[in-house]
């Protein structure tokens, strides 16, 4: 392979998973092919919004539980530690802080599928909420 981020064989195009490919494939979203390239996806507002999902949070030493202090003894020196946020909690916090316009950006992704989105993001967005946002 001479392209970038290839997992197939003898490819010169970027982001290929096949064999002997010279062109960048179209992106698959929600299990269906789109007319969008990976680069085009990376330039969307939806991509920027999804990158805002918190992955961790600083916990100050004074706010740590005794169990956390025992598990992270260096936290006393650092005055805390970086706590990983589980996807379910992080996604919920992120989603609840998005405005209507930003939620529409997500819902307007090509091939958007509410069931798949909820499954992957560990959310419970209802069809009713979807309809309200899309009004």
């Amino acid at each position: 392979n001479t392209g970038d981020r290839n997992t197939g064989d003898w490819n010169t195009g970027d982001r290929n998973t096949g064999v002997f490919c010279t062109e960048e494939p179209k992106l698959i979203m929600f299990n269906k092919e789109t007319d969008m390239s990976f680069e085009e996806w990376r330039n969307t507002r939806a991509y920027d919004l999804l990158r805002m999902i918190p992955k961790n949070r600083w916990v100050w030493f004074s706010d740590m539980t005794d169990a956390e202090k025992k598990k992270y003894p260096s936290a006393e020196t650092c005055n805390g530690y970086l706590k990983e946020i589980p996807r379910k909690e992080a996604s919920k916090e992120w989603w609840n802080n998005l405005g209507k316009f930003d939620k529409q950006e997500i819902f307007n992704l090509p091939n958007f599928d509410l069931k798949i989105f909820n499954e992957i993001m560990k959310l419970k967005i209802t069809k009713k909420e979807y309809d309200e946002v899309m009004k």
Side-chain angles (χ1 to χ4, degrees), residues 79-94:
N79 198 24
Y81 79 107
L82 200 56
K83 179 179 182 177
E84 186 176 332
I85 304 172
R87 178 178 289 197
K88 185 175 183 177
E89 181 184 332
S91 294
K92 185 176 181 180
E93 177 183 319
W94 167 78

Side-chain angles (χ1 to χ4, degrees), residues 44-53 94 98 101-103 105-106:
T44 66
R45 172 84 176 132
Y47 175 78
D48 292 339
L49 290 167
L50 287 158
R51 288 182 40 91
M52 294 172 151
I53 298 172
W94 167 78
L98 287 180
F101 175 76
D102 289 337
K103 288 179 180 182
E105 287 289 315
I106 301 298

Side-chain angles (χ1 to χ4, degrees), residues 48-76:
D48 292 339
L49 290 167
L50 287 158
R51 288 182 40 91
M52 294 172 151
I53 298 172
K55 293 183 177 37
N56 47 53
R57 171 182 302 120
W58 185 258
V59 178
W60 294 103
F61 188 77
S62 60
D63 296 329
M64 291 173 64
T65 65
D66 290 338
E68 288 172 321
K69 289 176 182 176
K70 185 175 181 179
K71 186 174 180 179
Y72 305 105
S74 64
E76 186 170 10

Side-chain angles (χ1 to χ4, degrees), residues 17-18 20 30 33 37 39 41 61 65 68 89 94 98 102 104 106 113 115 123-124 126 129-130:
T17 58
F20 291 106
F30 299 99
E33 188 175 277
S37 71
E39 186 174 339
W41 156 244
F61 188 77
T65 65
E68 288 172 321
E89 181 184 332
W94 167 78
L98 287 180
D102 289 337
Q104 286 174 344
I106 301 298
D113 184 300
K115 182 179 176 185
L123 294 170
K124 294 180 181 177
T126 64
E129 180 181 352
Y130 172 86

